[in-house]
Amino acid sequence: MATTDLAALAKKASEAAYVPYSHFRVGAVLESSDGRLFTGCNIENISFGLTNCAERTAIFKAISEGVREFKSLTIYGETKDPISPCGACRQVLSEFCPPEMSVTLLSSDLTAKTMTLGELLPYRFTDLD
Ligand code: THU
């Protein structure tokens, strides 16, 4: 899907955000290699640490449907500059998505910054030994 369409979809996904505590909406669209689209929004909880970010909502939806190959991620935030995704989401994404995958970060006015997942999370945790 075209970058501008993914941006519009990420913004649209943010409208479903459940954010009674931060009032900060985030939307994400994860595109699988076969062209399927998985949207996500942030879902907060009164026990704040249980909040799920938009990016993890999107990837958990895809993984739970058996999808394992991805080609792009687009993230929209109500931010002045393109949103910088949290470290927890970077690590979760790097479990399933290749370092060369394209990630587009968007601000509230849809200014875009595109990079690879490897650039977003260099030197990811990978060794258990
Ligand atoms: N949030 C996301 O959904 N994605 C990010 O990349 C950064 C933070 C959410 C979590 C919480 O609901 C709100 O934004 C404020 O931290």
Side-chain angles (χ1 to χ4, degrees):
M1 185 182 254
T3 312
T4 48
D5 293 335
L6 289 168
L9 195 56
K11 183 174 182 178
K12 180 86 187 148
S14 75
E15 291 173 13
Y18 174 74
V19 288
Y21 309 107
S22 75
H23 306 287
F24 178 71
R25 294 177 188 278
V26 184
V29 185
L30 184 62
E31 188 180 24
S32 63
S33 298
D34 62 2
R36 293 171 66 186
L37 299 172
F38 296 88
T39 59
C41 62
N42 49 334
I43 305 167
E44 298 185 343
N45 190 273
I46 194 163
S47 176
F48 297 162
L50 301 182
T51 291
N52 208 60
C53 292
E55 300 87 327
R56 276 177 291 141
T57 302
I59 195 158
F60 290 155
K61 281 171 68 178
I63 296 301
S64 68
E65 292 188 25
V67 179
R68 291 290 187 276
E69 288 182 19
F70 303 102
K71 67 175 170 197
S72 78
L73 173 67
T74 305
I75 311 166
Y76 165 88
E78 291 179 315
T79 45
K80 188 169 151 289
D81 298 313
I83 187 168
S84 176
C86 83
C89 287
R90 296 180 198 207
Q91 182 67 37
V92 170
L93 290 163
S94 74
E95 181 87 20
F96 300 104
C97 305
E100 61 273 13
M101 186 182 81
S102 173
V103 181
T104 296
L105 311 173
L106 300 162
S107 58
S108 57
D109 68 358
L110 299 186
T111 300
K113 189 173 175 142
T114 298
M115 61 194 66
T116 65
L117 183 61
E119 287 170 327
L120 201 56
L121 182 62
Y123 202 61
R124 74 184 190 96
F125 177 64
T126 179
D127 287 325
L128 281 182
D129 40 89

